Amino acid sequence: MRHYITSGHLPQSLLFAGAAGSGKTRQAMDFFKSLNCIESPGSPCGRCAVCFKLRSGSHPDLVVFEPPVVGRQVDALREVLDGIRLRPFEARQRLVLIEPAEDLNKSSSNALLKALEEPPPATVFILISHNPALLLPTIVSRCQVLRFAPSAPAGEGAADLAEFRSAVREILAGGDPLALMAKVQPLDREELAGPLSVLDALLRDLWLLSCGAASLVAAELAGLDLRPDYYELDEIWQLLRGLRRGGENQNLKAAFAEIAIRLGRLRAA
Ligand SMILES: [Zn+2]
């Protein structure tokens, strides 16, 4: 586990996108604990100095910036960025949380962009946003985007979605990837939102697993013998991005087939 955390697979900027109240901030804090717990990285002990400091509300290497809406916002941000030029005080990885990122004005956004382009040592930036469409596109494109969906839809469609979700889990458990295609068959462009949200949530969990943060993902997933490779995950992310953006004549079946095959490769070799 330590290997994943220290091997540099960690992207240096993340965007947690999703509706208010979908657990993004909590997840970011847990992620910091998971990266830095002294006793058991990947599965925070709750007792060591890092876990303890966080529980009592502060750690020198967890930096939270809430963009002020009055005064010179960019000066406040610069002060924060100046404070993180050197290595972290105690932690393996410092975390800089910016929330809500859509409150950054233009000059702050540019200052942040510069920091994302030349990040300080051992530092992960997490931007939290309820409305990523308001962010500077150049900032978004530098971030690995983790989507936090609102709670699952109920009623009609929920059953289909549950079926799709279990078909995906089946692949991760060692089943035939192309069996997923039977569930995808009736999909058309208007019905993509549900399956995409299932895959978004899954990718987020797989990504946390690849960082060694097994304690943050659903037990049924953590129990599978998975060794998600960051680069493989990134390929799947690109496919999802393509599906979300896709034009009328995009071949949905081919895209889902490729996702299914790549998911099948995430099992431990
Ligand atoms: Zn700990």
Side-chain angles (χ1 to χ4, degrees):
M1 256 177 208
R2 218 188 176 94
H3 167 75
Y4 291 103
I5 292 172
T6 54
S7 64
H9 283 187
L10 216 54
Q12 286 189 293
S13 21
L14 295 159
L15 169 59
F16 285 12
S22 52
K24 300 183 293 302
T25 310
R26 161 98 254 150
Q27 194 85 337
M29 298 286 214
D30 285 350
F31 185 54
F32 177 82
K33 247 194 266 181
S34 207
L35 290 178
N36 290 302
C37 173
I38 295 164
E39 292 292 322
S40 97
S43 169
C45 70
R47 295 179 308 272
C48 71
V50 170
C51 291
F52 184 77
K53 278 184 191 165
L54 265 190
R55 212 173 39 194
S56 55
S58 72
H59 188 289
D61 295 313
L62 177 66
V63 180
V64 180
F65 181 70
E66 295 171 348
V69 283
V70 290
R72 289 263 300 166
Q73 188 188 85
V74 68
D75 290 344
L77 177 62
R78 287 219 177 92
E79 198 174 315
V80 167
L81 296 175
D82 279 344
I84 59 171
R85 283 190 197 292
L86 303 176
R87 297 196 67 80
F89 295 105
E90 303 169 358
R92 274 180 220 111
Q93 293 284 341
R94 168 170 43 213
L95 214 65
V96 181
L97 278 189
I98 299 184
E99 181 191 19
E102 61 267 29
D103 279 2
L104 292 170
N105 62 27
K106 201 165 174 206
S107 32
S108 307
S109 295
N110 285 322
L112 176 64
L113 184 60
K114 216 172 276 174
L116 298 183
E117 283 165 355
E118 289 169 39
T123 299
V124 179
F125 285 90
I126 297 187
L127 280 59
I128 294 186
S129 177
H130 315 310
N131 196 349
L134 297 177
L135 302 180
L136 210 61
T138 41
I139 286 189
V140 177
S141 71
R142 290 209 75 90
C143 292
Q144 184 73 67
V145 182
L146 301 195
R147 285 171 198 281
F148 289 71
S151 45
E156 211 174 323
D160 286 351
L161 220 49
E163 210 182 325
F164 180 78
R165 186 179 293 115
S166 66
V168 169
R169 290 280 161 98
E170 201 57 41
I171 298 177
L172 295 172
D176 174 13
L178 293 178
L180 182 72
M181 300 318 291
K183 311 281 180 245
V184 176
Q185 204 80 20
L187 270 186
D188 61 42
R189 186 144 285 289
E190 283 75 58
E191 295 166 20
L192 272 183
L196 284 182
S197 73
V198 168
L199 291 170
D200 279 336
L202 177 74
L203 270 245
R204 189 183 70 227
D205 281 354
L206 290 171
W207 183 83
L208 287 165
L209 276 180
S210 81
C211 299
S215 63
L216 301 186
V217 308
E220 52 174 338
L221 198 60
L224 296 173
D225 191 17
L226 299 173
R227 298 277 184 284
D229 172 79
Y230 179 67
Y231 297 99
E232 195 71 53
L233 291 181
D234 198 47
E235 291 293 329
I236 301 176
W237 245 303
Q238 305 296 347
L239 287 162
L240 289 183
R241 195 176 300 170
L243 277 171
R244 198 168 269 115
R245 197 184 285 153
E248 275 308 308
N249 47 16
Q250 185 179 39
N251 188 336
L252 295 181
K253 259 179 92 175
F256 272 92
E258 193 177 345
I259 289 172
I261 289 167
R262 288 187 181 278
L263 285 173
R265 287 193 200 141
L266 297 177
R267 293 191 46 82

